[in-house]
Amino acid sequence: SGKTYFIDFADSIVSYDIQRDGAIIASLGGIPNKESGRTYVHFQYGADIQPGDVLIGSGIRQIVSSVETDVFEGKPELLMAFVKPA
């Protein structure tokens, strides 16, 4: 499940500020990852992250290009925010 994933990879969690329309709307823990040459950040399912948002974590700014739901055993478990350099 998504909660188990975050427990198992707790050492990899990065604190991200989520910026939308120039304002920080939230601070959330996420797990950066790469798959098939695409860079993304896993967040708990239900996080309010949209394409165009800026993620600021570890001093790095990244723009969210798309958002997908990661499904486990037929249930939505994680949010995948695909990012590119800002």
Side-chain angles (χ1 to χ4, degrees):
S1 74
K3 288 181 178 154
T4 302
Y5 177 79
F6 268 75
I7 291 167
D8 289 349
F9 292 95
D11 291 347
S12 299
I13 295 174
V14 172
S15 178
Y16 289 93
D17 285 335
I18 315 303
Q19 185 179 32
R20 182 177 299 154
D21 299 325
I24 302 295
I25 61 160
S27 293
L28 301 171
I31 299 174
N33 212 329
K34 264 190 184 163
E35 184 177 290
S36 302
R38 298 174 72 195
T39 301
Y40 63 92
V41 180
H42 265 136
F43 290 99
Q44 293 284 355
Y45 181 72
D48 180 14
I49 298 173
Q50 302 173 6
D53 287 351
V54 176
L55 305 183
I56 306 165
S58 301
I60 299 169
R61 296 172 55 88
Q62 298 172 300
I63 296 174
V64 177
S65 56
S66 65
V67 177
E68 296 177 13
T69 301
D70 206 351
V71 177
F72 180 73
E73 293 184 353
K75 294 191 288 189
E77 291 286 348
L78 296 165
L79 191 78
M80 299 169 72
F82 289 89
V83 294
K84 58 188 177 184

